[in-house]
Amino acid sequence: MATVDAGTYEVLRDRLAVHAADLARRADALNTRRAEEFGSAKLDLVATARLRTPHPCVPSDIVAVGDALLFGGTGGTGGADDVLTLYSRDGERLPEDAVPGLLDDAAFVREFTALHRYYRQARLLRLRRVDGRLLAVFRTGEKADDVRVLRWSVADDGRAAFLDARGDRDDVFPPGQDVTWTETTREDHVLGRDPYVAVPGGLGVTTVGGSLTVRTPDGEPLFAEPVREPLQSLADAAVGHARVGPLVLLRVRPYKEDADRYLVFDTLTRTVVRLDGIGQACRRLPEEQGIVFPGGYCLAGGTHKTYELDVAGLEFEREIRAPNGEDVLYAFRSRTGGRTLLLSYNTLRKEVATPLPCRGWALFEDGAFAVLRADGDEPAHTHPLQWWTSPYVSDTHAAALRTGTGALARVGNADLVRGLADCLSVARLVTDGIETGEGYRALTAACVRAADTNHWLAEPELGDLASPLGELRDTAEQVLAEFETVQELTRQAASALEEAAERIAAVVRRLRGEAPREAAAWVRGLTELRHAHGHLLTLRELRYVDTARLRELAGGAEADLAAFGRRAVAFLAREDA
């Protein structure tokens, strides 16, 4: 964006910041009231314990069944009571009949015994709760899909009933990609001196010339990195794209390369970052706030992070939304490696909590969160376990909690969170700084969306968030109009400056190649140069002209004028002049 003087544009920008600060202040005050009324649980570590097994084993997974913790491991004697064990929350081992119908079921014992009789190398991979069923997945062969799945039905109160050993169809992972990819075709190719593939967001992607380049249509490079094969044409690369709110995701496979490269372009900041973790899995964050993937996230507005963790082989397994509407938990798991990664996202703070790598996790009705931490692959008698508090309580448990009073109760906690998240996102867009027309358009659209989807914003009892939101939207529209005017004036000034530069360059080229034989011709040349130089100087009066470039061109023109003048003097000093 061009530098703007302290005029209308800056006044409007200051006014925009004032309205954004007012909106954020009111939203924070309402959020404090909401948290006091409904409570606000966070993901906090409260205790560390160890589960003790009678025989050394390698832990595989844990899962909550009612109020008990089911632990699964491999090793030991291989008996049912050695592979699957029940524990209380205090870490005490429970008898097999502590959860009736689970481990004490005769049909389960028969299936388990037959499984280990026919598949002596069978080992437990994972325990899963899927649609009211509990699955125990055992690997029976060398291939990843050589599995046998024992399954139980589990009621909300924890009562279990063994079903059979045919749970293979239940053991499916949801789609890892929560976005729709669109492949580009030759119709998207823009040919010319610098060919590129046009994608949404006003971008051009190319892999010619030895580098993968993302650029604007006018040629401004936003991102570049080398490709393996420098000799390739525009059609040799495979380019796909997807849109998540203000983010444009790019999937590029350069010629003769085995893996896709994944890039994210933020239309608000006009920045590009490479995030290959998107290829493993990519899930949208609530309200189009960004994306999350194994080992990292990327938010609208430019914030992104990848963690230095082993994420190889991780797939998206599950998403849990807290009843308060504020938090979302994303679980990524390796089907064969026994590794899990948990990422918890808060929609109000727009931040991801510290990731939790583990071997398994269990979530109880009251939000108690047990995490089986990774502690090597050697069999052991004790296994580290962490207990966390969390907002991820069940719906029935949430219904029994405080429901609030007055206007807060009438709107409800979840709707309040959604509205507050929208308002805080709008305020944060202004605070983070907007430098593009696309950013101001996105700000205006966010204001309209927040007002249209949250009916309660105008209620005085809830802080009347609609007033500063409306003022902010009106000001944003004015800023956008002024911004576009400034951009148009800047383009006009740049065009006039380039035209003047080309005019001077043409005159200088012609005069350098000439050697006039008459004094009048020298005078005409000097006059032409002075006129071109004078026209260049008149551009100082243009608003938003690039003054540094103007000074540079003026200095060059003065040097050319002086050089041509010296040539004229030298000619006129000759005897035959």
Side-chain angles (χ1 to χ4, degrees):
M1 186 187 69
T3 302
V4 184
D5 60 3
T8 305
Y9 180 77
E10 290 300 332
V11 171
L12 290 173
R13 286 267 301 221
D14 293 341
R15 189 180 303 166
L16 193 69
V18 171
H19 294 319
D22 186 23
L23 179 62
R25 179 182 57 78
R26 298 191 189 197
D28 287 336
L30 180 59
N31 188 46
T32 301
R33 289 174 54 196
R34 180 198 65 84
E36 293 173 352
E37 192 71 29
F38 294 99
S40 181
K42 296 182 180 179
L43 194 63
D44 288 325
L45 179 64
V46 294
T48 300
R50 286 186 174 270
L51 297 181
R52 298 182 181 276
T53 54
H55 301 283
C57 71
V58 178
S60 298
D61 206 349
I62 55 174
V63 69
V65 184
D67 204 41
L69 186 67
L70 178 62
F71 171 87
T74 58
T77 62
D81 59 345
D82 198 30
V83 176
L84 297 171
T85 313
L86 286 169
Y87 290 88
S88 68
R89 294 202 192 187
D90 297 331
E92 298 295 328
R93 186 171 180 176
L94 299 175
E96 294 179 358
D97 59 357
V99 179
L102 186 65
L103 303 183
D104 60 345
D105 188 282
F108 158 70
V109 176
R110 284 196 304 271
E111 290 289 352
F112 183 90
T113 303
L115 171 65
H116 284 75
R117 180 185 301 125
Y118 293 113
Y119 306 101
R120 295 188 177 276
Q121 301 301 319
R123 61 185 182 89
L124 180 67
L125 287 180
R126 55 188 173 269
L127 299 169
R128 297 184 65 196
R129 294 284 299 270
V130 179
D131 297 331
R133 294 182 176 179
L134 169 63
L135 308 180
V137 183
F138 291 85
R139 185 167 182 173
T140 57
E142 295 297 328
K143 299 180 181 178
D145 55 356
D146 290 338
V147 297
R148 195 167 180 83
V149 182
L150 306 183
R151 59 179 177 172
W152 295 258
S153 65
V154 180
D156 292 338
D157 59 3
R159 289 182 293 108
F162 182 74
L163 298 177
D164 51 44
R166 296 188 295 272
D168 308 55
R169 294 183 179 179
D170 295 332
D171 183 39
V172 294
F173 281 33
Q177 296 289 333
D178 192 25
V179 299
T180 302
W181 291 97
T182 302
E183 296 295 335
T184 58
T185 65
R186 289 185 180 272
E187 295 180 356
D188 301 304
H189 292 185
V190 179
L191 305 179
R193 174 186 288 183
D194 298 315
Y196 61 88
V197 180
V199 298
L203 292 180
V205 180
T206 178
T207 56
V208 300
S211 68
L212 164 59
T213 304
V214 180
R215 44 169 280 186
T216 61
D218 58 3
E220 176 191 358
L222 301 174
F223 177 87
E225 64 181 13
V227 295
R228 186 181 304 170
E229 175 55 63
L231 300 178
Q232 57 182 289
S233 67
L234 191 65
D236 288 333
V239 180
H241 56 84
R243 189 72 183 250
V244 179
L247 301 181
V248 178
L249 314 185
L250 301 175
R251 180 176 63 194
V252 184
R253 175 76 67 89
Y255 182 56
K256 287 187 177 181
E257 295 194 13
D258 301 326
D260 292 326
R261 306 187 190 187
Y262 289 86
L263 310 173
V264 179
F265 170 66
D266 192 321
T267 59
L268 302 180
T269 59
R270 301 196 68 77
T271 56
V272 179
V273 61
R274 180 173 173 179
L275 300 171
D276 286 342
I278 295 173
Q280 291 178 238
C282 178
R283 305 295 296 186
R284 295 171 182 262
L285 293 173
E287 311 302 330
E288 304 286 326
Q289 292 185 7
I291 58 172
V292 63
F293 52 89
Y297 61 92
C298 183
L299 305 181
T303 302
H304 68 275
K305 187 170 185 178
T306 55
Y307 300 101
E308 296 298 325
L309 299 171
D310 180 12
V311 297
L314 293 184
E315 302 176 51
F316 174 71
E317 181 192 24
R318 190 179 178 190
E319 171 185 312
I320 298 178
R321 292 178 178 256
N324 62 11
E326 185 176 350
D327 300 277
V328 187
L329 180 69
Y330 298 90
F332 301 92
R333 181 194 287 267
S334 170
R335 290 179 186 260
T336 59
R339 292 176 295 108
T340 296
L341 180 66
L342 304 174
L343 298 176
S344 180
Y345 178 73
N346 184 273
T347 60
L348 286 181
R349 297 190 298 273
K350 294 187 71 172
E351 65 182 18
V352 175
T354 302
L356 291 176
C358 59
R359 286 190 175 273
W361 56 285
L363 184 61
F364 291 85
E365 295 283 311
D366 60 357
F369 195 53
V371 177
L372 184 63
R373 297 309 299 262
D375 196 20
D377 295 324
E378 295 298 324
H381 280 284
T382 60
H383 312 283
L385 187 73
Q386 291 181 340
W387 286 98
W388 299 70
T389 58
S390 82
Y392 303 106
V393 301
S394 68
D395 292 338
T396 54
H397 187 84
L401 298 176
R402 291 176 294 174
T403 58
T405 58
L408 295 174
R410 185 174 67 252
V411 175
N413 191 29
D415 285 345
L416 286 170
V417 168
R418 279 191 290 271
L420 288 170
D422 289 343
C423 292
L424 289 173
S425 294
V426 167
R428 196 175 288 113
L429 282 175
V430 178
T431 304
D432 292 343
I434 302 175
E435 301 295 336
T436 65
E438 182 70 26
Y440 286 114
R441 281 186 284 273
L443 175 63
T444 303
C447 292
V448 173
R449 185 171 58 251
D452 290 346
T453 57
N454 301 283
H455 61 86
W456 54 268
L457 293 181
E459 294 191 22
E461 293 179 85
L462 298 177
D464 186 18
L465 301 182
S467 294
L469 183 66
E471 294 287 347
L472 195 149
R473 183 190 64 189
D474 294 341
T475 305
E477 292 174 346
Q478 297 175 34
V479 172
L480 177 60
E482 184 66 21
F483 178 84
E484 292 177 341
T485 300
V486 168
Q487 282 199 317
E488 180 58 29
L489 291 175
T490 302
R491 281 193 293 268
Q492 292 177 3
S495 177
L497 191 60
E498 288 306 315
E499 182 181 347
E502 291 174 3
R503 175 182 174 183
I504 290 179
V507 173
V508 170
R509 281 195 304 269
R510 180 168 52 79
L511 294 180
R512 283 178 179 175
E514 294 180 354
R517 297 184 178 182
E518 298 178 356
W522 286 101
V523 172
R524 283 196 300 272
L526 286 170
T527 303
E528 192 172 2
L529 266 178
R530 288 187 182 278
H531 284 171
H533 178 246
H535 173 68
L536 179 67
L537 295 181
T538 62
L539 299 183
R540 292 173 178 172
E541 305 301 321
L542 289 178
R543 296 179 64 191
Y544 313 122
V545 71
D546 187 345
T547 54
R549 172 73 171 153
L550 179 60
R551 285 195 299 270
E552 178 185 352
L553 291 174
E558 290 171 359
D560 290 328
L561 185 60
F564 191 75
R566 286 193 295 271
R567 287 178 59 198
V569 170
F571 173 80
L572 295 175
R574 291 165 46 183
E575 294 182 359
D576 59 344

